[in-house]
């Protein structure tokens, strides 16, 4: 495929996507396929000779589309939102086109510098404390991670390294393994599964703190566990607070928890993966109060802020906490500016080395929506129901939901996901659910 | 931006990218900017009101482009290749457009199933042993990771969990921390820095094995270290072999190392991050001999196989080794097919939860190049030189290189990176380097 053909095909692709969005409401939101449906439809191995683009695109519609769950359908209320927008899509096309990587400043200076500034812009939209911003010579700053799971993992690892060093400096006789075996991290019993995963990757104990009747962790609950654990010889080092829990969007009480963590030298990380976008609206900002006590804060613009996956924003107050946890520096990745203190090498802030130019889509979206446009997008709705109902809802394939457990209760999560959803779709969904519930009650 | 405007702008974007590729040879490969160049050029915070697309694109050319390192320029010989191609770009546009995620089968069945089949296709191209393929009911299979760093990390973690369980089942009195403190992983002194990083994340010791005069680890070197470490009470559990080391593309001796690892119950992971693509050519396949002894094998199609970043292919012989290391399973991510044994939930194979539809670009590239087209792409060139020379080369900004250390020697790595590079560019670069070297010698 030469440049001229790319130009032709690229435009056809743009038309295809535009058409997809026009027809989206008519496609069944959840596919009607059984596991293993795809393998019999495609050859056992790659073709020897090149095939042409038309055939591939035809097969996409014939083989792939019937197996796609339409996350952007206005009838999609499952999991969490994964909101994209046209400006973000355009930026992603451009980023793919120029295809530069940004693991160090020198690998592509613009990628790194735009990222730092965009995270400052976004931090200001959220009214994050100054200390989280990179500014011209701050100690803090932001980075784009691929996912909230990675953000939790890297902060837990940074906290682990910091605590091991602290304990060892006071107790030089202890080995790293001695300290590791006593470390313990905490999160709400409502926290996302990625916190447990981060603990297991990092090889440290994770304990859950019981949440209250509002499904929130309060200061006294944390204090109680800390007290017991210290008495048992454990070393608390990390607390992951959740703002907007996955099951029911409850909020841990940062204002009570923060001072405790600060006093006890526990790294407080705040996971606001899906709720975080709301904080750009002044009327929701109070929900973030207490973030001033946190060491790190994360949320996913790819969940609710109109930016395509993958884009998870993480800020830390001390960037050296991250970089000193990870720094491995072979000559082939070094460059003459790296010790100047002026540049950021994002490879020291994350797990992967390779990273695409992701800040471009932030820039496009922030500029083409403006803060006002983003706030308008946030100001929209939510709902719930039981097990058989969920089954009948999902079998009817008009809308799609996933459930969760709140204590012993099986709850249907109704998440407003799609950029294209309007109140008419929510009303349709509500009528549809009510009808199925009524049918179900008649059968009983 | 509505659908109609997206359609218009999307096509302009395609033209912009086509133009970029046409002019690429004329753009200086390495940017002439100092750290901090960007911040003064853009506002301190996001605009309140929406801006229009033309202004954003104009600013892209004015502010971003001068700071971009052109990874696809035919004069780019630094780091490693990050090869994209037009078919991959088209697939990425499509994947961004439909924007579905694939952390579980149910999240979007087509994403998961295409990924499994594409990794089988690619495995067959490499002539990987049958056990690495998923087939219809195999125990093995492949997954797309974001980067080789993540592939090394997840396999190290899987090996860690496996060894902890084994040791504890034989020695029930030992705690997990007891075992962890004795675990030791190995890699060549030439291995990529990501191996050290994986060890540090996983909280286990990493030791380097001295490579021989060909910069390769041979069996006797590994045996010697294992012998010493066992005598000291350590528990060897993971060896990362490198095929194609970053500094000079040397190959560890799999055929000697594999049987030792198998006999000693050590997980052998093979990192062929950039060299791996070559194995699709029968004349290079012998370099992969011994992979039959490995537990896992990884290489980056985004380095040399015409697939845009991020796309790192990882295969394991026993998928349960990965999934049992990571499985955390809250209700909101469960679905009725998951225990059927028929479906793959890729979230259990990786660090992030969120993942884009990445197999689409494999499918497009494999089909539109065909195996023959991909083999032709691989069949192209390599070279070297010293410190002052490197400086003068990079200051001249005609071509771009990065150095490495081979033992005490400072070596210039000349990597043929770009999809657009032809032998005329290599010849130009060679003449250019020769001239600068001659100038330098005259000055001495
Ligand atoms: C509160 C919370 N934290 C973390 C995550 C994980 O997000 P990611 O997929 O970006 O890892 C989620 C996802 O739903 C979430 O709701
Ligand atoms: C041998 C080797 N392994 C691993 C890596 C890391 O690759 P990634 O950027 O995909 O993490 C590289 C990158 O150059 C490499 O050369």
């Amino acid at each position: 495929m030469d440049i001229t053909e790319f130009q032709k095909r690229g435009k056809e692709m743009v038309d295809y996507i535009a058409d997809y969005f026009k027809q989206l409401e008519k496609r069944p939101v959840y596919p009607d396929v059984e596991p293993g449906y795809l393998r019999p439809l495609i050859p056992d191995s790659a073709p020897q000779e090149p095939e042409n683009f038309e055939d591939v695109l035809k097969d996409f519609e014939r083989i792939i589309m019937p197996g796609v769950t339409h996350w952007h359908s206005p009838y999609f209320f499952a999991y969490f939102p994964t909101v994209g927008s046209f400006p973000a899509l355009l930026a992603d096309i451009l980023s793919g086109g120029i295809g530069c990587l940004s693991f160090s400043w020198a690998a592509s200076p613009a990628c790194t510098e735009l990222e730092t500034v965009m995270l400052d812009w976004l931090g200001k939209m959220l009214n994050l404390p100054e200390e989280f911003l990179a500014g011209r010579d701050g100690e803090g700053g932001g980075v784009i991670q691929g996912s909230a799971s990675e953000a939790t993992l890297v902060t837990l690892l940074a906290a682990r390294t910091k605590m091991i060093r602290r304990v060892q400096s006071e107790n030089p006789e202890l080995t790293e393994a001695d300290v590791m075996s006593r470390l313990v991290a905490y999160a709400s019993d409502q926290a996302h599964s990625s916190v447990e995963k981060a603990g297991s990757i990092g090889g440290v104990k994770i304990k859950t703190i019981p949440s209250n009747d509002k499904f929130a962790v309060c200061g006294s609950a944390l204090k109680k566990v800390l007290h017991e654990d210290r008495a048992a010889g454990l070393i608390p080092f990390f607390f992951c607070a959740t703002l907007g829990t996955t099951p029911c969007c409850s909020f841990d009480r940062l204002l009570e928890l923060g001072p405790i963590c600060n006093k006890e030298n526990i790294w407080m990380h705040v996971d606001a993966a899906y709720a975080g976008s709301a904080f750009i609206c002044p009327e929701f900002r109070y929900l973030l109060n207490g973030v001033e006590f946190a060491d790190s804060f994360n949320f996913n613009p790819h969940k609710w802020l109109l930016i395509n996956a993958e884009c998870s924003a993480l800020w830390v107050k001390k960037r050296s906490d991250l970089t000193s946890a990870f720094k491995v520096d072979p000559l082939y990745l070094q460059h003459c500016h790296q010790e100047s203190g002026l540049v950021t090498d994002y490879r020291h802030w994350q797990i992967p080395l390779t990273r695409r130019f992701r800040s471009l889509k932030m820039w496009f979206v922030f500029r083409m929506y403006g803060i006002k446009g983003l706030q308008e997008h946030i100001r929209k709705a939510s709902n719930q129901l039981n097990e058989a109902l969920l089954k009948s809802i999902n079998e009817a394939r008009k809308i799609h939901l996933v459930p969760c457990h709140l204590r012993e209760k099986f709850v249907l999560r109704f998440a407003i996901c799609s950029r294209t959803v309007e109140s008419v779709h929510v009303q349709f969904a509500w009528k549809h659910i009510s009808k199925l519930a009524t049918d179900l009650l008649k059968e009983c």
Side-chain angles (χ1 to χ4, degrees), chain A:
Chain A
M1 181 176 287
D2 61 12
I3 299 183
T4 315
E5 202 196 339
F6 164 72
Q7 225 160 339
K8 178 166 177 291
R9 299 311 185 185
K11 290 172 186 178
E12 290 173 17
M13 196 57 100
V14 168
D15 285 335
Y16 183 91
I17 293 169
D19 233 59
Y20 172 74
F21 278 102
K22 283 182 199 154
Q23 308 289 327
L24 191 50
E25 215 167 324
K26 295 190 200 127
R27 292 192 190 250
V29 56
Y30 191 73
D32 186 11
V33 297
E34 289 300 310
Y37 90 95
L38 185 137
R39 195 180 281 272
L41 300 177
I42 68 176
D44 266 358
S45 54
Q48 280 295 330
E49 304 288 340
E51 298 184 63
N52 65 44
F53 181 73
E54 282 95 340
D55 290 343
V56 176
L57 203 59
K58 256 187 242 150
D59 282 351
F60 178 79
E61 193 56 51
R62 186 175 65 87
I63 300 170
I64 306 298
M65 272 303 193
V68 165
T69 302
H70 299 290
W71 282 66
H72 296 282
S73 161
Y75 299 112
F76 183 88
F77 302 103
Y79 309 104
F80 42 77
T82 170
V83 193
S85 64
F86 293 127
L89 203 50
L90 292 173
D92 253 1
I93 295 174
L94 186 55
S95 151
I98 62 172
C100 54
L101 305 181
S102 63
F103 47 79
S104 69
W105 182 87
S108 207
C111 302
T112 297
E113 300 207 6
L114 188 64
E115 183 161 341
T116 307
V117 176
M118 284 306 104
L119 274 285
D120 273 5
W121 277 22
L122 184 53
K124 285 179 191 167
M125 282 190 230
L126 297 166
N127 200 4
L128 278 187
E130 198 62 40
E131 294 156 275
F132 285 108
L133 307 184
R136 256 158 252 265
D137 49 16
E139 285 180 38
V143 58
I144 302 176
Q145 301 279 338
S147 62
S149 305
E150 285 161 272
T152 303
L153 176 60
V154 300
T155 52
L156 178 137
L157 294 170
R160 189 189 72 178
T161 302
K162 201 171 177 173
M163 186 56 86
I164 291 173
R165 288 189 190 145
R166 178 200 298 268
V167 174
Q168 283 190 318
S169 77
E170 290 163 9
N171 308 272
E173 74 286 3
L174 294 179
T175 65
E176 189 168 321
D178 292 334
V179 185
M180 286 263 296
S181 69
R182 291 167 55 196
L183 291 180
V184 53
Y186 305 94
S188 167
D189 54 15
Q190 301 298 308
H192 188 263
S193 54
S194 50
V195 185
E196 186 187 334
K197 191 165 172 175
S200 116
I201 291 169
V204 295
K205 276 180 269 308
I206 288 273
K207 291 200 176 182
T208 54
I209 311 279
S211 57
N212 65 13
D213 59 342
K214 294 273 196 302
F215 302 97
V217 171
C218 54
S220 57
L222 177 64
K223 257 194 187 148
K224 187 164 171 287
V225 177
L226 289 180
H227 183 76
E228 290 164 8
D229 284 354
R230 291 232 190 256
L234 296 178
I235 307 171
F237 78 104
F238 183 78
F239 173 64
C240 175
T242 312
L243 295 184
T245 58
T246 316
C248 73
C249 208
S250 60
F251 289 76
D252 288 346
R253 300 224 192 126
L254 286 199
L255 285 165
E256 296 173 17
L257 297 160
I260 301 173
C261 290
N262 288 182
K263 187 164 157 265
E264 303 250 0
N265 274 321
I266 295 169
W267 181 302
M268 182 161 85
H269 173 66
V270 177
D271 171 10
Y274 76 89
S277 301
F279 307 149
I280 65 162
C281 299
E283 67 273 29
F284 298 126
R285 172 58 176 78
Y286 76 98
L287 290 163
L288 184 58
N289 288 348
V291 72
E292 55 276 20
F293 300 108
D295 296 279
S296 49
F297 170 72
N298 166 248
F299 84 99
N300 286 352
H302 73 220
K303 287 217 164 88
W304 200 6
L305 209 59
L306 296 165
I307 298 174
N308 296 47
E310 293 122 352
C311 180
S312 183
L314 170 68
W315 290 265
V316 288
K317 276 190 188 156
K318 285 216 168 60
R319 48 167 95 193
S320 58
D321 286 341
L322 286 191
T323 54
S324 66
F326 285 126
K327 214 162 166 179
V328 281
D329 233 354
L331 181 62
Y332 47 81
L333 295 177
Q334 289 170 23
H335 55 88
C336 59
H337 289 297
Q338 71 176 9
E339 299 306 336
S340 71
L342 285 168
V343 306
T344 299
D345 286 338
Y346 276 124
R347 69 178 184 281
H348 299 308
W349 296 52
Q350 60 174 22
I351 312 285
L353 173 59
T354 299
R355 57 200 327 272
R356 283 168 61 123
F357 192 175
R358 287 178 172 144
S359 53
L360 209 51
K361 49 191 172 193
M362 284 194 165
W363 198 44
F364 274 50
V365 168
F366 295 163
R367 294 187 62 183
M368 293 176 65
Y369 278 86
I371 296 178
K372 281 197 182 163
L374 294 171
Q375 289 170 337
E376 272 163 29
H377 172 71
I378 298 291
R379 288 166 179 141
K380 295 189 182 178
S382 170
N383 228 311
Q384 47 171 241
L385 286 178
N386 74 47
E387 202 151 351
L389 179 60
L390 179 74
K391 197 156 170 273
S392 79
I393 291 172
N394 282 340
E395 279 175 5
R397 285 203 172 71
K398 291 276 187 196
I399 67 170
H400 185 40
L401 298 183
V402 291
C404 69
H405 272 147
L406 284 179
R407 299 282 143 74
E408 312 303 293
K409 273 194 210 150
F410 185 95
V411 173
L412 275 64
R413 293 173 71 256
F414 187 90
I416 312 287
C417 296
S418 168
R419 190 185 53 79
T420 60
V421 73
E422 296 296 341
S423 58
V424 346
H425 302 107
V426 178
Q427 275 155 17
F428 167 86
W430 178 243
K431 279 201 196 116
H432 177 61
I433 294 171
S434 308
K435 182 177 174 306
L436 292 177
T438 312
D439 292 353
L440 208 72
L441 289 172
K442 275 190 204 140
E443 282 171 24
C444 305

